[in-house]
Every structure is written in C-alpha cells, then in structure tokens.
Amino acid sequence: MRVAVVGIDGSGKTTVLRRLGARDGVAVVHAIRAHDDPRSPVAGLSRDLAGASAAADAVGRIQLKAAVLSLQLCLYGPSERHAAGAARLLLTDRHPLVDPLVYLPLFGRLAGGGGPGSDVRTWWARQEPDAARAVRDWLADRTGHTDPWALGEELLHLGTRPPEEMLDGLGRRFGVAPPDAVLLLDLPVEQALRRTRERAGQSELHETAAFLSATREGYASVLDRLARARPDIAQRRVDCTDLDVDEVAHRIRETIAELDGPSPHPAPITRPARPPLSGRPCYVRRSEA
C-alpha cells in the first residue's frame, strides 16, 4: 500500500514520517528532500538540489524555485523503487502527482514578469562549485539543456492548465503512478507558521502567513477535485491541531489500519507500471543508481 502524506509547510510531515519509518515493514520516501533518508540512492544529488533551492530562496525568483522543484521530483521514482522492496507499507512525504497541483498555481501568482537578468548567474554562484556541477549535469540529463529559467517557466506554465490536464502532464513528466491513498495533515496556519520560523536556518521564499493560508485552501480544493476524478484514491484528513508528534503518529496509524482493512497480512508493495512518457523521462545516472 502506497500512502502519500501531504499538508502545508510546518504541518509535521517529515518529523512524523521519521517516527513512523522506524517501525518494521514501513518504508518512507521524501519526495522533495530524498536525503532525509541517508540510505536513499540519490541522497547526494538531493543534498545538492537542496542547496540549489536555498539559493533560489536567496535570489528570490520563483522561476528558479520551480526549476529546482522539478529536478527534485525527478528523484522520486528511483527513491520509491529503492524504498519499497518487500515493505508492506510505503509512506511518502509529499507526492509528485499531488502537491504540484497545489503549489504550481500559487507559485505562478508569485512569479512576476520580466526576464532573469543576472539572477540565473547569481543563483549558480551561490551554490558550492561541486554541487553546482552536479545540479547542472542533472538539469542537462533531464532537459537536454542547462537553462534553469526555461525549465521553471515550463513548469509554471503547466500550473496554469486545468487540474486534469496538469495531473496528466505531471504523470508524463515524472513517470510515477498515483498513490493508493492520500492523508492530509491539517494544521492551523498560525501553528504551522510558528513551526517554520523555529526551524534552524533561513526560511523558504514562500513561507508566509498569506501563502500558507492559500496553500491550505488549495489542498482542500485539489483533494476535492481529485476525489471526483479519481474515486479509487482513498482520502483522509488528520486533524493535527495542538498535537505532538506521537499523537499525530498514533492518528496516522489508526487511519492507515482503517484504510488497510481487516487483513492481518496486507499485500507487499509492487512496483507500479510506468505510464507512457513523452519527451525525456525522469531517470538517474548510473552512478546514482
């Protein structure tokens, strides 16, 4: 069973999944920060991309943030296949076919007009030289060019399309199957914002009260549409208000037990068949496999 755990920044996804991943038979994949699992076969490249994302925050251009997001989500497929193995349950921290439906339209509103100017050059310069080379190589592998601005614009344009068209485009781009279920960790914006501000290091470009409020509304809207378009994907909301990580973990376990049904021996995860791809599929260089 493959379950995507989603929610606004600060809702506790990563923390609670680390707790749940310590249990036997549970595998965890972090869709954007694969290196949160140091055993991931793409941990090194994921760390380099995290640096590129931080550089985009510092430069303040959403097009660069969107480009890095695309490159990060391209690591999801190999990470999922590596983590699944014989695990009976796969939990994912975000999902390439769910979260972009929420974030891309919102990113598009923040993008503004005008070209990149010197911002792309500044973005490259803010990364460590070896990490920048790895990011440039991955960008070229994925797109056939080394222009992050063009990739960001392409992804933001996809975010302007109707949800069904966006979902189809994301499926072709990232070559992954939808999850069996989606759990929304729902947390009031003021609590989520407090958590993001308590994190060590610089906050991300989009972590503001207004953006988190729009994101929370976006999840509700996207999941409502997804329920109508894909009724085979189960959905549950987990209220995390005023709960600590152990309490949230307990609620998630109860919810998954209810979704999993009465069988004491749920079927192991199998690798999902990849949908047909147009253009370049996501893949990992042999050195990362």
Side-chain angles (χ1 to χ4, degrees), residues 1-4 19-28 80-92 180-181 249 252-271:
M1 186 180 195
R2 294 171 296 120
V3 180
R19 186 69 52 88
L20 292 169
R23 296 169 67 92
D24 291 339
V26 178
V28 172
E80 181 188 72
R81 292 189 292 276
H82 172 79
R88 63 178 180 80
L89 175 64
L90 176 67
L91 301 177
T92 72
D180 300 310
I252 290 176
R253 290 188 197 104
E254 288 186 328
T255 303
I256 290 173
E258 177 258 317
L259 288 170
D260 211 20
S263 172
H265 302 292
I269 300 167
T270 56
R271 294 184 180 185

Side-chain angles (χ1 to χ4, degrees), residues 97 158 163-175 278:
L97 303 189
L158 179 60
E164 294 78 11
E165 187 176 332
M166 206 189 319
L167 181 63
D168 183 61
L170 292 168
R172 291 197 306 272
R173 177 177 293 271
F174 300 121
S278 62

Side-chain angles (χ1 to χ4, degrees), residues 121-142:
R121 186 164 56 253
T122 302
W123 175 71
W124 284 119
R126 293 189 72 95
Q127 301 173 53
E128 293 294 329
D130 288 346
R133 279 191 288 273
V135 171
R136 193 185 299 271
D137 287 347
W138 184 234
L139 174 61
D141 282 349
R142 280 295 303 121

